Amino acid sequence: MGETTRSLPVGDLSAWGTTEFRPFLPYTPMQYPLELTFKFWALAPQISVKNAQGTVVLYVRQKLFKLKEAINVFSDSQRNTLIYDIKADRIIDFSACYHFSDADGKPIGAVKRQGLRSLWRAHYDILDGDAAAFTIQEENPWIKVIDTLFAEVPVVGIFTGYFFNPTYIVSRPNGKTVMRLSKQPTFLSRVFSIQQIDQLSDREEAQVLLSLLMMLLLERNRG
């Protein structure tokens, strides 16, 4: 049988102070830090996101066999409630732009990798309309290089995931940091943590979190 998905009800938005944007957690504020874990042995890439209380708040699944990358974001690990879609604007391309929409198809924002600049240091622009609202940048690109080199060494490669872990910084155009994503020391699994550094509006929080999730899917083979 196929998957059953349904959209979240709009509900009462007055508590959020807006009727234009419905955040992905309409009734529960996001509790940081968030823990992101890639699911092992899954044919399609999947990420489970838990809040500080250990509750799953987002579940991400990348669709297979798509010429244009497509990702579904659910509110639960059973994938019953679809809350976001992420879609590429072109057939698989290094500089593709990935657009976010809510369960009703309303656009929220987008993220775009900075082509050649990302070959050395991961660099992404988070877009609100045509303007760059935030950037994501790898803090120390040498960690990725060292991790890649040692990963090829027999036996030693098993331990690289524990000692060499990249960190990504999300900042505004004025340079102010708003979030920090770090890979956690683990031997086998891929676990990341998101820390909120500065306050964000509901719309900005959605843009940043969806961008970080998309970035992880794109960077998963780079450390």
Side-chain angles (χ1 to χ4, degrees):
M1 296 182 64
E3 290 183 2
T4 300
T5 62
R6 57 186 177 85
S7 301
L8 285 174
V10 173
D12 179 10
L13 301 182
S14 59
W16 293 92
T18 177
T19 57
E20 296 180 354
F21 174 67
R22 181 181 67 227
F24 47 83
L25 293 175
Y27 308 112
T28 307
M30 187 66 75
Q31 300 176 50
Y32 293 91
L34 303 180
E35 182 182 270
L36 290 66
T37 306
F38 274 85
K39 185 177 181 180
F40 261 8
W41 316 119
L43 184 60
Q46 299 176 50
I47 304 174
S48 175
V49 182
K50 295 181 179 179
N51 65 13
Q53 305 302 317
T55 302
V56 174
V57 292
L58 295 172
Y59 195 86
V60 183
R61 186 176 188 273
Q62 186 171 12
K63 294 182 179 179
L64 293 176
F65 313 118
K66 292 283 186 179
L67 290 178
K68 292 183 179 180
E69 291 188 86
I71 292 90
N72 293 139
V73 182
F74 302 87
S75 65
D76 58 292
S77 57
Q78 288 73 39
R79 307 201 299 271
N80 291 321
T81 306
L82 177 67
I83 50 178
Y84 288 128
D85 280 317
I86 305 175
K87 294 181 180 179
D89 67 344
R90 67 193 74 179
I91 294 174
I92 299 173
D93 184 274
F94 193 72
S95 297
C97 187
Y98 299 86
H99 294 271
F100 316 136
S101 59
D102 66 14
D104 296 326
K106 296 178 182 177
I108 297 168
V111 64
K112 181 179 175 66
R113 179 162 49 187
Q114 286 300 312
L116 294 176
R117 292 179 66 182
S118 284
L119 288 176
W120 166 242
R121 170 181 289 183
H123 188 112
Y124 293 76
D125 286 333
I126 301 175
L127 307 176
D128 189 1
D130 295 328
F134 303 93
T135 60
I136 306 173
Q137 194 162 2
E138 195 171 5
E139 191 172 53
N140 184 354
W142 282 107
I143 292 178
K144 175 179 60 188
V145 174
I146 296 171
D147 183 30
T148 301
L149 291 174
F150 277 89
E152 301 301 320
V153 179
V155 182
V156 175
I158 299 175
F159 300 95
T160 59
Y162 195 85
F163 295 105
F164 306 113
N165 297 289
T167 295
Y168 302 88
I169 302 298
V170 183
S171 58
R172 296 185 185 275
N174 63 8
K176 189 170 187 178
T177 299
V178 296
M179 278 196 190
R180 180 186 182 95
L181 181 148
S182 302
K183 188 170 182 286
Q184 300 303 291
T186 55
F187 286 112
L188 295 175
S189 60
R190 296 174 62 82
V191 180
F192 297 81
S193 176
I194 295 179
Q195 295 277 356
Q196 184 177 26
I197 307 300
D198 195 30
Q199 292 298 312
L200 297 167
S201 69
D202 299 329
R203 181 182 180 86
E204 289 175 333
E205 183 178 47
Q207 291 170 341
V208 170
L209 290 179
L210 291 171
S211 296
L212 288 173
L213 289 168
M214 188 67 236
M215 182 204 70
L216 285 180
L217 290 170
L218 293 171
E219 298 286 322
R220 65 186 181 273
N221 293 322
R222 300 179 64 196

